[in-house]
């Protein structure tokens, strides 16, 4: 079955830039989005259509796409950004929604 | 402000059917712009899409669950529901309902994303 691959963990110091990648063959032709999930809470959409930011999401969150990899960038990381981040797209046929395995962002 | 709320039993016995309902408030489920989805998350694990439905009743499902899943919609109550049959311990999870946007059609998940989520409900499968 189709998979989206994320690193299990990323660590950064406050004020630095965090980059979380998501890889999948179909990402070269399909949009991806990103969710932030804090413990005990529902996921929150932070990026959609590769690089669009929903209203209310801080400007420090941005997305980009290159070939089969999409990247979530968090500039000037704050302690409150510590969370699990999931990418999501569709499978290679475009029919099914697929989530990446998630990346735990630790703010040192 | 759109709100979604899951409801249903928190404990289901193995081999039985899991049934959940999502009630939508602050907006109409009949909107032609949106679909409505179910996503689950086993304890300590990642997210898994279960399926999505359009207000007309057309639905698409995760192939790995398709044989056991039915999603239906009740527009008069502004609700949509999930039924998962023959459950096992592997179906223990937090189940979320969410608004599914960005699709071109219910059977085309390219561009789909979930912009409003319910708080989630834990369903445990155990005898």
């Amino acid at each position: 079955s189709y998979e989206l691959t994320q690193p299990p963990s990323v660590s950064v110091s406050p004020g630095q830039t965090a980059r979380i990648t998501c890889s999948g063959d179909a990402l070269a032709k399909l949009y991806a989005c990103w969710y932030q999930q804090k413990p005990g809470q529902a996921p929150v959409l932070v990026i959609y259509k590769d690089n669009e930011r929903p209203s209310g999401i801080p400007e420090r969150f941005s997305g980009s796409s290159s070939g089969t990899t999409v990247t979530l960038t968090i500039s000037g990381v704050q302690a409150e950004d510590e969370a699990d981040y999931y990418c999501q797209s569709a499978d290679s046929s475009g029919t099914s929604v697929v989530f990446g395995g998630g990346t735990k962002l630790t703010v040192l | 402000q759109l709100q979604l709320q899951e409801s249903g039993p928190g404990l289901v016995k193995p081999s039985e059917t899991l049934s959940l309902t999502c009630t939508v408030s602050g907006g109409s489920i009949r909107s032609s712009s949106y679909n409505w989805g179910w996503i689950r998350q086993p304890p300590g694990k990642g997210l898994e899409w279960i399926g999505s439905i359009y207000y007309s009743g057309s639905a698409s499902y995760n192939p790995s669950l398709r044989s056991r899943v039915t999603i239906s919609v009740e527009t008069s109550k502004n609700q949509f529901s999930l039924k998962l049959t023959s459950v096992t311990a592997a179906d223990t999870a937090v189940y979320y309902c969410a608004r599914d946007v960005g699709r071109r059609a219910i059977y085309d998940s390219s561009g789909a994303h979930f912009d409003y989520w319910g708080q989630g409900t834990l369903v445990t499968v155990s005898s």
Side-chain angles (χ1 to χ4, degrees):
Chain A
S1 62
Y2 182 73
E3 292 184 351
L4 295 174
T5 301
Q6 299 181 234
S9 62
V10 169
S11 299
V12 294
S13 299
Q16 290 191 331
T17 296
R19 293 182 179 85
I20 301 173
T21 59
C22 173
S23 299
D25 289 343
L27 293 178
K29 59 178 182 176
L30 298 177
Y31 285 125
C33 62
W34 291 91
Y35 303 91
Q36 175 194 67
Q37 186 180 34
K38 296 181 179 179
Q41 298 184 19
V44 173
L45 181 69
V46 294
I47 294 290
Y48 65 98
K49 286 189 176 180
D50 289 348
N51 56 22
E52 298 288 334
R53 195 171 52 248
S55 61
I57 300 302
E59 292 185 5
R60 64 179 182 273
F61 288 87
S62 63
S64 61
S65 176
S66 179
T68 59
T69 299
V70 293
T71 302
L72 172 68
T73 301
I74 310 172
S75 304
V77 166
Q78 301 180 5
E80 66 195 51
D81 299 330
E82 185 164 286
D84 293 327
Y85 290 85
Y86 294 90
C87 63
Q88 178 244 300
S89 184
D91 66 3
S92 52
S93 69
T95 55
S96 293
V97 170
V98 178
F99 287 93
T103 298
K104 181 175 180 57
L105 176 67
T106 299
V107 181
L108 300 170
Chain B
Q1 178 75 352
L2 189 76
Q3 292 186 322
L4 296 91
Q5 178 68 59
E6 305 88 352
S7 59
L11 181 64
V12 181
K13 290 182 168 57
S15 79
E16 295 191 345
T17 296
L18 179 159
S19 296
L20 295 173
T21 295
C22 182
T23 301
V24 179
S25 58
S28 175
I29 204 168
R30 295 178 62 92
S31 172
S32 61
S33 300
Y34 309 124
N35 298 275
W36 306 92
W38 287 99
I39 301 101
R40 71 180 183 178
Q41 185 172 36
K45 296 187 178 181
L47 300 166
E48 180 181 34
W49 175 68
I50 300 170
S52 295
I53 192 165
Y54 190 55
Y55 79 90
S56 65
S58 297
S60 62
Y61 301 116
N62 186 324
S64 68
L65 297 170
R66 182 178 291 130
S67 64
R68 298 194 292 130
V69 173
T70 302
I71 298 175
S72 58
V73 62
E74 180 63 71
T75 56
S76 63
K77 296 181 179 179
N78 229 34
Q79 295 176 335
F80 62 106
S81 298
L82 168 70
K83 290 189 185 302
L84 181 65
T85 62
S86 303
V87 297
T88 69
D91 295 309
T92 293
V94 175
Y95 285 76
Y96 296 100
C97 60
R99 190 173 77 172
D100 177 342
V101 301
R103 292 175 176 266
R104 288 177 290 193
I106 188 63
Y107 301 115
D108 182 357
S109 292
S110 58
H113 51 281
F114 302 94
D115 61 350
Y116 286 91
W117 295 63
Q119 65 186 23
T121 186
L122 175 62
V123 178
T124 301
V125 178
S126 176
S127 55

